[in-house]
Each structure stands twice: as C-alpha cells, then as structure tokens.
C-alpha cells in the first residue's frame, strides 16, 4: 500500500474540458485515487505562428497532411507532463488523459508493473491495437509486459513514466514532426524503451467520442492525394522496418 500511495497520478486536462475533468475526478474520489492535474495546452488557443519546437514541413511529409492545432496541443501537454515529473523529483508517475475510465485495481496493477520493468522506460497501459506481442516481463499481479512488433498502436491515454525516461523524452521528442501517439512509440529514435501491456489495463470513458483534437472528417479533408503522399508512404514503410528490427534486437 505504501508503494501504491507513492505513485502520483498526473492528469492531463485543458481548461475547456471541464466535463471530462469533473467525471474523472468523481471516479477518482470514489476509488480513493488522488489526481495531480497537469495543465494541458489548448491548441485551438495558440496561433500557428506561436507554435514552438515544430517542423511543419516534416510533419506534412511524414503524415500526408498538415499538423492540426489539437495535435500540437496534445503533444505539448504531454511534454509538460514529462517536465512536471522531472521537476517534482519523484521517480515515476502514472500519466492519464481525461477520457479514460479508472478501475479499482489500477493503482495496484500499475505499481506491480513498475516494479517489474527497468527504471528508464515507459509502459503503455492502454492501446487501440497490439499486434505480434513480444513478451518481456510479468508483474506480480500477472500482467504481461513487452513490445508490439507492429504499429503504431495508437493512444497515449494511460502510461507509466519513469523520471529517467521523462527527462530524455522531453528533450529528444522535439521538434514535433508526428502526432504524440506515434512519436512516443519511436524508441529507435529517442532511445527510451517503450513497452506495452499485452492487454489494456483500463479502457476509455464515456466521453471518449467527444474528441477535442479533430473528427475523422477533419482528418480526411486534410489528407494529401496521389504523388504528394509518396513521402508519407516511404516513411511508413521505413518505420515498419525500424520497429520490427528494434523489437527483434531488444
């Protein structure tokens, strides 16, 4: 129990997402979980000319479309969480977004996972997909932890973050040239091991579909077509090889 209480839970939340904050704080209160809010960056309120540490041309080539304000805000919000943990002097934290559904055994399982892995890594606890899972560790509570040999897995809504990893990520994930979810998984680029649980430890909450970044229609409307998207295809093929090789050698 002492170890459980020492693991802070960092909640990323922007000011206008008041309903999300109220819902997850209510869940936390019922479960006896203390949340520590990290102020998120609302990309819709930051003019593009004021975006910091971004490479818009590289983002366009790698993703086949321009960067959206919500993607900028999400990325900067997680960078804030990295820096928050480092500045706090604590060894690790559980980082969550405000659209997950907390569970009664979350803290016990998170603590057990943290005890089973190295002290310089990230462990994703929720993903949209995990393909060709490669087992590396097993926690005392039975959660299997390892690598997904194919990706991106999608979602950074809940992950364990060590201070050593946070310090390196805050530096090496800038400038931004990908959405946060894809950039976080690129261990071959930033040098921080990023593991995943074989099965999601928690799921998404009731407000998940009320996106604050963009709708599918928004994404479709911005996509490049034809030969303009060739750099994107080439990058994605290269990433698939780099990811597979990293998993094989890790």
């Amino acid at each position: 129990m002492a170890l459980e209480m020492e693991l802070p839970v960092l909640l990323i939340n922007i000011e206008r997402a008041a309903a999300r904050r109220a819902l997850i704080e209510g869940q936390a209160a019922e479960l006896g979980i203390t949340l520590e809010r990290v102020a998120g960056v609302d990309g819709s309120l930051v003019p593009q000319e004021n975006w910091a540490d971004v490479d818009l041309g590289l983002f366009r080539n790698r993703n086949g479309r321009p960067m959206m304000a919500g993607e900028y805000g999400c990325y900067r919000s997680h960078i804030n969480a990295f820096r928050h943990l480092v500045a706090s002097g604590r060894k690790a934290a559980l980082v969550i977004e405000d659209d997950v559904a907390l569970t009664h055994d979350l803290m016990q399982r998170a603590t057990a996972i943290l005890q089973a892995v190295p002290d310089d890594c990230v462990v994703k606890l929720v993903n949209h997909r995990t393909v060709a899972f490669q087992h590396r560790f097993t926690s005392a509570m039975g959660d299997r932890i390892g690598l997904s040999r194919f990706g991106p897995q999608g979602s950074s809504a809940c992950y364990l973050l060590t201070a050593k990893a946070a310090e390196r990520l805050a530096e090496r994930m800038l400038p931004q040239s990908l959405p946060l979810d894809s950039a976080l998984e690129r261990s071959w680029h930033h040098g921080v091991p990023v593991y995943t649980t074989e099965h999601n430890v928690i799921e998404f909450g009731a407000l998940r579909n009320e996106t604050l970044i963009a709708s599918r229609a928004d994404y479709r409307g911005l996509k490049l077509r034809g030969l303009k998207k060739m750099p994107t295809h080439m990058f994605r093929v290269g990433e698939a090889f780099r990811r597979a090789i990293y998993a094989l050698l890790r």
Side-chain angles (χ1 to χ4, degrees):
M1 182 61 71
L3 283 174
E4 176 185 331
M5 295 304 293
E6 290 172 5
L7 182 64
V9 183
L10 306 184
L11 169 66
I12 296 176
N13 171 260
I14 60 176
E15 288 293 337
R16 66 184 170 95
R20 290 183 176 215
R21 183 177 179 183
L23 180 60
I24 199 165
E25 285 182 339
Q27 294 176 21
E30 291 180 3
L31 297 170
I33 298 174
T34 300
L35 301 180
E36 189 172 324
R37 182 175 179 267
V38 174
V41 175
D42 190 341
S44 68
L45 301 180
V46 184
Q48 188 175 103
E49 58 267 25
N50 293 338
W51 290 2
D53 296 311
V54 298
D55 188 327
L56 296 177
L58 188 57
F59 187 101
R60 180 185 176 92
N61 286 340
R62 286 181 166 182
N63 297 276
R65 56 173 176 75
M67 184 188 300
M68 290 182 284
E71 292 175 312
Y72 172 76
C74 176
Y75 206 97
R76 298 305 304 192
S77 298
H78 283 263
I79 295 292
N80 285 352
F82 302 160
R83 292 172 174 167
H84 181 98
L85 174 58
V86 173
S88 74
R90 292 170 292 195
K91 293 183 178 180
L94 179 63
V95 179
I96 63 173
E97 294 180 348
D98 55 15
D99 58 353
V100 297
L102 304 179
T103 59
H104 71 281
D105 61 352
L106 172 61
M107 299 308 295
Q108 292 93 331
R109 291 174 71 182
T111 299
I113 291 169
L114 190 61
Q115 292 172 333
V117 299
D119 65 355
D120 62 346
C121 69
V122 170
V123 184
K124 299 183 68 183
L125 304 187
V126 63
N127 296 288
H128 293 316
R129 66 198 72 85
T130 298
V131 181
F133 178 77
Q134 191 168 312
H135 176 248
R136 285 292 181 271
F137 315 98
T138 302
S139 78
M141 293 191 68
D143 284 301
R144 285 162 50 89
I145 306 124
L147 301 167
S148 178
R149 285 176 286 187
F150 295 93
Q153 294 179 267
S155 182
S156 299
C158 180
Y159 55 90
L160 282 164
L161 174 71
T162 67
K164 290 181 180 179
E167 186 171 13
R168 282 187 283 167
L169 290 172
E171 176 183 353
R172 298 179 189 178
M173 281 180 56
L174 295 174
Q176 179 183 359
S177 62
L178 288 164
L180 185 278
D181 302 339
S182 298
L184 182 61
E185 294 180 31
R186 300 182 76 224
S187 297
W188 51 93
H189 171 73
H190 52 59
V192 174
V194 178
Y195 300 108
T196 182
T197 51
E198 185 174 18
H199 304 291
N200 287 349
V201 173
I202 60 174
E203 299 297 340
F204 297 103
L207 299 181
R208 172 62 179 172
N209 292 329
E210 296 181 16
T211 178
L212 297 179
I213 295 181
S215 66
R216 291 184 179 181
D218 293 329
Y219 284 109
R220 286 196 299 269
L222 292 172
K223 282 185 177 181
L224 301 179
R225 308 292 178 184
L227 292 178
K228 292 181 179 179
K229 202 170 181 179
M230 188 59 65
T232 305
H233 297 315
M234 294 175 64
F235 173 73
R236 289 176 178 171
V237 169
E239 285 290 274
F241 278 107
R242 285 185 281 270
R243 185 183 191 113
I245 292 170
Y246 177 85
L248 180 66
L249 300 177
R250 185 69 191 174

